Amino acid sequence: MKINKYNSIVFALLFGFGLSSQAQTKQWTLEECVRYALENNITIKLTELDVQNAVIDKKGALGSYLPTVNGSASHSWNIGLNQDVTTGLLRNQTTQYSSVGINAGVDIYKGLQNQNTYRRAKLSIIASQYQLVKMQEDISLNVASAFLQILSNKEDLKVKKEQLAIDEKRYARSEEMVNAGTIPRGDLFDLKATVATDKQNITVSENNLLISKLSLAQLLQLKEFADFDVADDTEVKDENNIMAQTPIDIYNKAKETRTELKLAQTNLEIAEKNVAIARGAYQPTLSGFYSFTTRASYSDVVTGVTPNLTNPTSQIGFVEGTNQAVLENNFTPVLGAPQPIFDQFSDNKGHSFGLQLSVPIFNGFSVKNNVERSKVNLEKSKIDLEQKSLDLQRNVYTAFTDAKGALNTYESSTITLEARQQAYNYAKEKYDVGLMNSFDFTQAQTLLTNAQSDVIRTKYDYMFKIKILEFYFGIPIVPIITK
């Protein structure tokens, strides 16, 4: 008991500190929680990045229409056995060369693959935006569920505290009655156990409330959530009169507004473009190209010749019949410095351009397999769209049935609570005059507490079921604006 008292004191101090600053603590409404989650939830941020990737892919698909242009430049040293430009002989020497080039190419016809890739990229942006909206809708529902769970736990804790206050008063009164000899002392032990049980239930309820607040704070990505709290809104109401709609009306509306159907339809269109892209590989491709090159050398060049005075002639043959020698004059080349680099670049430039046609003949069945694979994926997308439609119909009818059942359960639990309250009041009157023992009175009190808990549980269950039904009818918790 001493340990329990110590824990209770510490717990009370911690929560007392929070309550002391409650005037400065913000109490979040459901709409504020949803909006904050839509702006800060990590999962939504990751999905937004997927949208950005889709936009980048579209830019890449658009770039396939444009020509490719690449420039190149090199400078090389040749060290070792190289041809001497003055003598034409091989000898060990070091030479340097520089070269510059530009290459360009453009697709003229590619089986309409570029066009279909660009159209697929635009559809992928739409699909990623639908995926983002779907993620925002799912987070909104999760936030609403966590929000209502906090309200339920707060009301449950309030009931538990009220019950403890009543039992403590009964215990004090029973002590007086025992001292006066009106009731036996054994009844006082039962009440003491009841008060202890009430305190234990309060501890459990406080823990449940703290955990539910933590869950919602994590959905909102709040870094500081020690003083996090939500505004009390315990009114049960169907503002949009959604229960007046029929399931078939809600389903027809859902088919027009539900994001998962739009996403599945877009994925089907993307699969159709994939088939067209794969088939485009069967067709010939025509491309144009252009190349420009130029070069420069840093070696000495021959600028002229002079007669070789040391060895003026060389025999190159003889006359048949007379054997007279055939001579030629020998010359010595005159070397000079190389031309300026830019002059060499201007003199040595060259151009090359043309068209290239590629006709697929046999490629190891790769194109055929790609086409067949894309057709299979197309069929899967068709089946997925059909399945999404069936799931939507089942979910709408289930949600309507659940909401209707939750309403009936809530109304029944309310009637039960009224009856249990009257039975408790009657039992209290009998107990106060000594016509009922403490055991029977505690049973009546337990039934009342259970009835109060049922009303709280069924009320917030009904509120959440209404939110789900409105969700399928196209009524968001807060308007979702795509970026």
Side-chain angles (χ1 to χ4, degrees):
M1 291 298 295
K2 292 183 178 179
I3 296 177
N4 290 336
K5 287 183 178 179
Y6 177 78
N7 292 337
S8 299
I9 292 173
V10 174
F11 195 79
L13 288 174
L14 291 174
F15 272 80
F17 176 79
L19 293 174
S20 65
S21 59
Q22 189 166 1
Q24 290 81 25
T25 301
K26 174 181 176 59
Q27 288 193 324
W28 296 64
T29 65
L30 176 58
E31 290 74 14
E32 289 174 337
C33 289
V34 172
R35 291 189 184 280
Y36 191 89
L38 295 181
E39 294 176 358
N40 296 275
N41 186 268
I42 290 180
T43 306
I44 291 179
K45 289 183 178 181
L46 290 175
T47 310
E48 289 175 345
L49 293 178
D50 292 336
V51 176
Q52 295 181 22
N53 279 334
V55 173
I56 295 173
D57 291 340
K58 178 186 174 183
K59 294 179 181 178
L62 182 61
S64 63
Y65 288 99
L66 305 177
T68 59
V69 180
N70 296 291
S72 63
S74 67
H75 183 85
S76 62
W77 288 264
N78 296 327
I79 302 174
L81 193 63
N82 295 291
Q83 186 178 25
D84 190 334
V85 296
T86 62
T87 64
L89 301 178
L90 295 176
R91 68 185 183 89
N92 288 322
Q93 60 179 341
T94 299
T95 58
Q96 298 184 56
Y97 297 94
S98 293
S99 63
V100 176
I102 296 177
N103 296 303
V106 61
D107 291 330
I108 300 175
Y109 181 76
K110 200 177 178 181
L112 302 179
Q113 287 181 314
N114 291 342
Q115 291 87 336
N116 288 321
T117 300
Y118 180 69
R119 293 169 186 147
R120 182 186 63 182
K122 292 196 295 184
L123 290 173
S124 295
I125 293 178
I126 297 174
S128 61
Q129 290 173 341
Y130 283 147
Q131 185 63 44
L132 174 60
V133 172
K134 185 178 184 302
M135 184 60 63
Q136 291 173 333
E137 292 171 343
D138 293 342
I139 294 296
S140 299
L141 279 181
N142 292 337
V143 169
S145 176
F147 185 92
L148 295 177
Q149 186 62 51
I150 292 177
L151 295 182
S152 177
N153 290 337
K154 289 177 72 172
E155 282 205 30
D156 182 67
L157 178 60
K158 180 180 177 182
V159 170
K160 296 294 194 301
K161 288 182 176 180
E162 291 175 352
Q163 191 61 53
L164 174 61
I166 294 173
D167 288 341
E168 286 178 337
K169 290 181 180 179
R170 283 179 50 220
Y171 179 76
R173 176 173 172 76
S174 296
E175 278 188 319
E176 297 175 357
M177 296 175 68
V178 168
N179 293 332
T182 306
I183 61 174
R185 183 168 296 276
D187 290 352
L188 187 61
F189 296 147
D190 291 336
L191 287 174
K192 187 175 182 180
T194 300
V195 171
T197 301
D198 290 342
K199 291 180 179 180
Q200 182 181 1
N201 292 336
I202 288 177
T203 301
V204 173
S205 296
E206 287 173 338
N207 290 338
N208 291 337
L209 177 59
L210 185 61
I211 292 174
S212 61
K213 287 183 178 181
L214 176 61
S215 299
L216 180 55
Q218 289 180 337
L219 277 175
L220 302 183
Q221 305 299 141
L222 291 177
K223 296 180 180 179
E224 300 293 336
F225 51 82
D227 298 329
F228 176 74
D229 197 8
V230 300
D232 294 333
D233 185 9
T234 59
E235 184 179 358
V236 179
K237 52 187 176 181
D238 180 8
E239 296 178 343
N240 298 293
N241 198 23
I242 193 66
M243 294 303 296
Q245 304 290 335
T246 63
I248 188 63
D249 291 336
I250 297 176
Y251 173 64
N252 290 333
K253 181 71 173 180
K255 287 194 298 183
E256 300 175 359
T257 60
R258 288 307 309 134
T259 307
E260 57 264 31
L261 286 186
K262 296 178 180 179
L263 178 59
Q265 179 62 43
T266 305
N267 287 335
L268 175 60
E269 296 175 6
I270 291 175
E272 292 174 345
K273 294 303 176 186
N274 286 333
V275 173
I277 293 172
R279 284 176 173 169
Y282 281 126
Q283 302 184 32
T285 59
L286 179 64
S287 60
F289 63 88
Y290 168 79
S291 176
F292 167 82
T293 58
T294 185
R295 65 191 182 278
S297 173
Y298 297 86
S299 302
D300 293 337
V301 296
V302 178
T303 59
V305 294
T306 60
N308 190 336
L309 301 179
T310 304
N311 185 19
T313 61
S314 297
Q315 181 178 345
I316 61 173
F318 59 89
V319 178
E320 186 177 359
T322 64
N323 291 329
Q324 183 180 359
V326 179
L327 304 176
E328 70 171 357
N329 294 326
N330 292 333
F331 298 93
T332 300
V334 178
L335 300 180
Q339 289 182 307
I341 297 299
F342 290 103
D343 290 345
Q344 292 189 58
F345 281 154
S346 177
D347 295 339
N348 297 331
K349 61 185 177 182
H351 304 271
S352 174
F353 57 89
L355 299 175
Q356 181 176 355
L357 178 66
S358 176
V359 180
I361 298 175
F362 182 75
N363 43 44
F365 302 109
S366 61
V367 175
K368 180 180 179 181
N369 291 337
N370 288 336
V371 171
E372 292 180 353
R373 188 179 297 108
S374 60
K375 286 182 178 179
V376 171
N377 291 331
L378 176 60
E379 291 300 318
K380 289 174 62 177
S381 298
K382 291 179 180 179
I383 295 174
D384 181 67
L385 176 60
E386 183 179 357
Q387 184 63 51
K388 288 291 192 298
S389 180
L390 294 175
D391 291 343
L392 178 62
Q393 185 179 29
R394 183 184 67 252
N395 292 337
V396 167
Y397 276 83
T398 301
F400 185 85
T401 303
D402 289 344
K404 188 175 181 180
L407 175 60
N408 294 334
T409 303
Y410 171 67
E411 292 175 346
S412 299
S413 63
T414 303
I415 296 173
T416 301
L417 177 59
E418 293 175 358
R420 292 298 181 193
Q421 185 67 53
Q422 294 176 358
Y424 171 77
N425 294 338
Y426 180 68
K428 184 175 182 300
E429 293 175 359
K430 293 177 64 177
Y431 178 77
D432 290 341
V433 297
L435 297 179
M436 177 179 287
N437 58 40
S438 61
F439 177 78
D440 291 337
F441 181 70
T442 301
Q443 291 287 35
Q445 181 181 355
T446 301
L447 292 174
L448 174 61
T449 302
N450 293 338
Q452 290 172 331
S453 299
D454 287 341
V455 168
I456 295 173
R457 177 181 57 80
T458 57
K459 175 175 69 174
Y460 288 104
D461 180 62
Y462 170 63
M463 292 175 66
F464 185 64
K465 294 298 194 308
I466 287 295
K467 290 295 182 183
I468 293 179
L469 206 56
E470 292 177 345
F471 170 76
Y472 284 118
F473 198 65
I475 303 175
I477 298 174
V478 296
I480 296 176
I481 301 175
T482 57
K483 296 182 179 180

